[in-house]
Amino acid sequence: MRTWTAAVAVFLLVLEALFFAGVGLLLGLAVRHQNMSLGGLSTDAMANGAWVGMGLLAAFLVVVAVLLARTAWRGGAMGRPTRILLIVCAVLHGVLAAALLALSGVVAFLAMLVMVGVMVFVLLTPTVTDASPGAA
């Protein structure tokens, strides 16, 4: 059960990373083509900030997806760094869910909650080992 859940989480994380990278690209392009300033900040700086910020978020999601894919492929227990990154990613999705509920509405909030649920399910599902404890 954990292998399939981890595989679903990998798919959703990669899909979400692509989405965030696309949103960052569109935000950067929209800011670059405007003629307004935000507190004296140039439009180039704002566009670069959107690209770097969303790019780093997408890269983080891809790193977590790669670690989960490795865990799903091995079928064993997760290591401590993978668990820590998965917990950080779940907390990040919880914060994003709260922000999206305030800014975008219920649909985006529910999408983030599904991601939190999948990651917590992967964390809490026990690992099933094929070998019995007394086998040589």
Side-chain angles (χ1 to χ4, degrees), residues 10-44:
V10 167
F11 174 73
L12 290 175
L13 282 170
V14 169
L15 189 68
E16 187 177 10
L18 290 173
F19 176 76
F20 279 133
V23 166
L25 180 68
L26 287 176
L27 281 175
L29 289 174
V31 167
R32 180 157 285 181
H33 292 297
Q34 71 172 347
N35 292 324
M36 294 186 291
S37 174
L38 182 65
L41 194 61
S42 71
T43 57
D44 288 337

Side-chain angles (χ1 to χ4, degrees), residues 44-130:
D44 288 337
M46 289 188 288
N48 291 337
W51 290 334
V52 169
M54 289 297 209
L56 287 174
L57 178 61
F60 174 71
L61 293 175
V62 168
V63 166
V64 173
V66 166
L67 290 174
L68 269 179
R70 191 181 76 178
T71 300
W73 180 262
R74 287 188 305 166
M78 284 186 274
R80 185 174 298 239
T82 305
R83 283 190 177 275
I84 290 171
L85 280 177
L86 197 59
I87 290 168
V88 168
C89 192
V91 169
L92 173 73
H93 278 83
V95 171
L96 285 175
L100 285 175
L101 180 61
L103 298 175
S104 295
V106 177
V107 175
F109 171 73
L110 291 177
M112 285 294 135
L113 280 188
V114 166
M115 287 300 299
V116 171
V118 167
M119 285 185 274
V120 169
F121 190 71
V122 169
L123 278 169
L124 296 180
T125 306
T127 305
V128 178
T129 56
D130 294 333

